[in-house]
């Protein structure tokens, strides 16, 4: 019988797993490390973990035998089948009340299913979003745990110690039931897609529209990072732009085809499922898809000759417009993300703490930025806030930046520079602030060709059908919401 000395086990020794283990070790926790390819365990213990209190295990049985009760096992493996396979192997080795934590980027429906299925077998399952990349895992990530709440008292002391700290508060708290943790992480990643796309479009406006060199652009991002745009992504963009190797600036030699792992796509799919207009994130996902069509783009640029030019006005003034437009568009993207969180919470009966979620994102994660504190304040002030744009701080910011957003969108259109995320931000803002939309015509059209009915203003809730041509009948189609 192995001596039960480990506080937690972690399965999966890729860079994130290794760094999270070392982080836990630094905070005084004894971790048992395991990997399906056991050679990695030996290498890790003899190199990165040498001189630490980390324990290696060369079988799941050995790993489980080293754990204190209740046993806590964290998985950092590829999402999908690999998670289910490890759960199946662990179940015969665990006891009632033991805890399995999935720290990968799992799809939230999978987490929901696993939480319910494992609870029936007496195992407490947690789906935990982990953000911050390699550095975050090593020195303090943002952690978003959800699932079976009975597990929280047993993982809270570890997670709140190893996570990032912001103004003395841990960037980790219990998110909610079943798939809530991974849903919040999914939306976080969707917002990350939007942030990255907006920053890249600002870069392209300056590079192709203003003709700025990389050192000039790096200085612009450095200045932006001192004020309301202060954030991790602005900071690293500054560093990337000025980075040189022996061949000069590296950035312009990097192929312009962006990869993705699926969480942005999942966010866009969820937005469609819940009927929430998360347009900027969806446009950012499509932006990556379009970037992947590199050969077609090169061919099209040679066949479809479009008029392109550079900006002719005051460059410094236009840079200021880009800054303000970027700020407004980021606010709109976050507002859309929180709209999606609120709708999903209604559907799943999750008791989400929106201010708390903003606090979790204040440190350790990729989207950490200054105005997340303002999001927390907005929900603290009004816990029933239906949209961030209706909070005084954010509505004032939008009003202040509105003309700049219009200016860069119109200018980009005139000089043929693609900025679809900025277009999307302006389109959403125009639509959201329009009291009377054109959807009355859509309803009339639907009723004309499909007898789908409509409501009369002042008689909402009563659906009627008109025989528009005199040839139709009085029978209407079934009414439903998509």
């Amino acid at each position: 019988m192995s001596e039960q000395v480990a506080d937690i086990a972690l399965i999966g020794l890729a860079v994130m797993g290794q760094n999270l283990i070392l982080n836990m070790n630094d905070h005084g926790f004894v971790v048992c490390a395991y990997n399906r390819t056991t050679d990695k365990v030996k290498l890790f213990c003899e190199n990165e973990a040498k001189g630490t209190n980390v324990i290696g295990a060369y079988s799941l049985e050995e790993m489980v035998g080293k754990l204190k009760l209740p046993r806590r096992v964290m998985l950092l493996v590829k999402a999908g089948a690999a998670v289910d396979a490890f759960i199946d192997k662990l179940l015969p080795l665990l006891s009632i009340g033991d805890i399995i934590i999935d720290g990968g980027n799992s799809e939230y429906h999978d987490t929901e299913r696993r939480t319910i299925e494992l609870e029936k077998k007496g195992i407490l399952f947690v789906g935990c979003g982990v953000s911050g990349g390699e550095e975050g895992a090593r020195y303090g990530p943002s952690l978003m745990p959800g699932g079976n709440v009975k597990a929280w008292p047993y993982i809270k002391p570890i997670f709140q110690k190893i996570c990032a700290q912001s103004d003395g508060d841990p960037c980790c708290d219990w998110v909610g039931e079943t798939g809530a943790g991974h849903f919040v992480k999914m939306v976080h990643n969707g917002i990350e897609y939007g942030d990255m796309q907006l920053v890249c479009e600002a870069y392209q406006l300056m590079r192709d529209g203003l003709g700025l060199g990389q050192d000039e652009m790096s200085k612009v991002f450095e200045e932006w990072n001192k004020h309301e745009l202060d954030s991790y992504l602005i900071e690293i963009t500054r560093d990337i732009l000025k980075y040189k190797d022996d061949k000069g600036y590296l950035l312009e030699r990097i192929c312009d085809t962006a990869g993705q792992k699926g969480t942005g796509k999942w966010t866009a799919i969820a937005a469609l499922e819940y009927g929430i207009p998360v347009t900027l994130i969806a446009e950012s996902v499509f932006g990556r898809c379009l970037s992947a069509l590199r050969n077609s783009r090169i061919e099209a640029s040679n066949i479809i000759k479009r008029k392109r030019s550079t900006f002719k006005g005051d460059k410094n003034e236009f840079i200021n417009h880009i800054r303000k437009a970027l700020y407004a568009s980021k606010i709109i993207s976050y507002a859309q993300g929180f709209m999606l969180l609120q709708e999903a919470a209604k559907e799943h009966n999750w008791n989400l703490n929106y201010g708390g979620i903003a606090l979790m994102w204040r440190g350790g994660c990729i989207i950490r930025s200054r105005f997340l504190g303002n999001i927390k304040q907005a929900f603290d002030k009004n816990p029933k806030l239906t949209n961030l744009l209706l909070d005084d701080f954010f509505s004032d910011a939008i009003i202040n930046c509105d003309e700049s957003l219009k200016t860069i969108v119109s200018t980009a259109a005139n000089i043929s520079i693609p900025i679809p995320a900025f277009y999307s931000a302006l389109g959403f803002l125009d639509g959201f602030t329009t009291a009377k939309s054109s959807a009355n015509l859509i309803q009339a059209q639907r009723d004309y060709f499909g007898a789908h009915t409509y409501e009369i203003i002042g008689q909402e809730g009563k659906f009627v059908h008109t025989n528009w041509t005199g040839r139709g009948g009085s029978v209407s189609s079934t009414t439903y919401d998509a």
Side-chain angles (χ1 to χ4, degrees), residues 342 379 382-387:
Q342 289 173 312
F379 283 108
N382 180 8
K384 295 183 179 179
L385 183 68
T386 58
N387 193 295

Side-chain angles (χ1 to χ4, degrees), residues 10-19 21 32-45 57 76-77:
L10 192 143
I11 298 173
L13 294 181
V15 66
M16 286 288 288
Q18 290 191 14
N19 283 355
I21 289 170
C32 184
Y34 176 77
N35 196 79
R36 185 171 57 88
T37 307
T38 53
D39 286 349
K40 283 191 175 181
V41 178
K42 188 171 185 291
L43 282 170
F44 177 57
C45 290
L76 270 176
V77 299

Side-chain angles (χ1 to χ4, degrees), residues 112-179:
E112 197 164 32
R113 168 181 58 80
R114 289 165 185 149
T115 304
I116 294 166
E117 287 177 355
L118 288 173
E119 184 172 29
K120 293 173 184 174
K121 298 174 181 179
I123 303 299
L124 311 182
F125 187 76
V126 174
C128 182
V130 180
S131 181
E134 299 170 23
E135 186 177 348
R138 182 66 184 86
Y139 300 108
S142 170
L143 297 173
M144 296 155 255
N148 194 320
V149 71
K150 294 174 188 173
W152 180 230
Y154 300 104
I155 64 173
K156 179 179 179 179
I158 298 176
F159 279 23
Q160 290 198 335
K161 266 277 185 73
I162 67 168
C163 70
Q165 307 291 316
S166 177
D167 298 326
D169 294 313
C171 295
C172 168
D173 205 349
W174 187 252
V175 174
E177 305 80 358
T178 61

Side-chain angles (χ1 to χ4, degrees), residues 11 113 117 174-175 212 257 361 372 374 387 410 434 449:
I11 298 173
R113 168 181 58 80
E117 287 177 355
W174 187 252
V175 174
L212 298 187
T257 54
W361 294 347
L372 282 162
N374 301 110
N387 193 295
S410 60
T434 297
F449 65 68

Side-chain angles (χ1 to χ4, degrees), residues 198 228-229 280 321-336 371 389 394-406 408 421-422 425-426 428-429:
L198 288 166
E228 72 275 7
L229 287 173
L280 197 150
H321 283 311
I322 298 173
R323 174 185 65 80
K324 293 173 77 172
L326 178 56
Y327 184 47
S329 300
K330 276 172 63 76
I331 290 171
I332 289 165
S333 181
Y334 281 70
Q336 291 181 356
F371 75 66
L389 300 184
F394 292 106
S395 62
D396 288 348
I398 291 293
I399 292 166
N400 182 48
C401 298
D402 189 24
E403 288 304 314
S404 291
L405 182 55
K406 291 176 185 174
I408 71 150
F422 280 116
L426 182 58
F428 176 84
L429 183 60

Side-chain angles (χ1 to χ4, degrees), residues 229-288:
L229 287 173
D230 172 22
S231 63
Y232 175 71
L233 285 170
I234 295 291
E235 180 185 316
I236 68 168
T237 302
R238 172 202 67 194
D239 297 342
I240 289 166
L241 281 161
K242 67 183 179 183
Y243 182 85
K244 290 181 180 179
D245 58 18
D246 56 357
K247 294 180 182 176
Y249 289 111
L250 174 60
L251 179 59
E252 287 305 305
R253 303 200 306 274
I254 295 175
C255 191
D256 60 330
T257 54
Q260 53 182 313
K261 288 194 172 180
T263 43
K265 179 180 74 174
W266 293 345
T267 308
I269 291 170
L272 290 169
E273 285 177 347
Y274 296 117
I276 299 299
V278 184
T279 53
L280 197 150
I281 292 169
E283 197 61 69
S284 300
V285 175
F286 288 130
R288 294 196 189 191

Side-chain angles (χ1 to χ4, degrees), residues 75-93:
L75 302 172
L76 270 176
V77 299
K78 188 176 180 181
V83 176
D84 287 319
F86 268 113
I87 290 172
D88 289 342
K89 289 175 183 176
L90 284 166
L91 278 176
L93 307 174

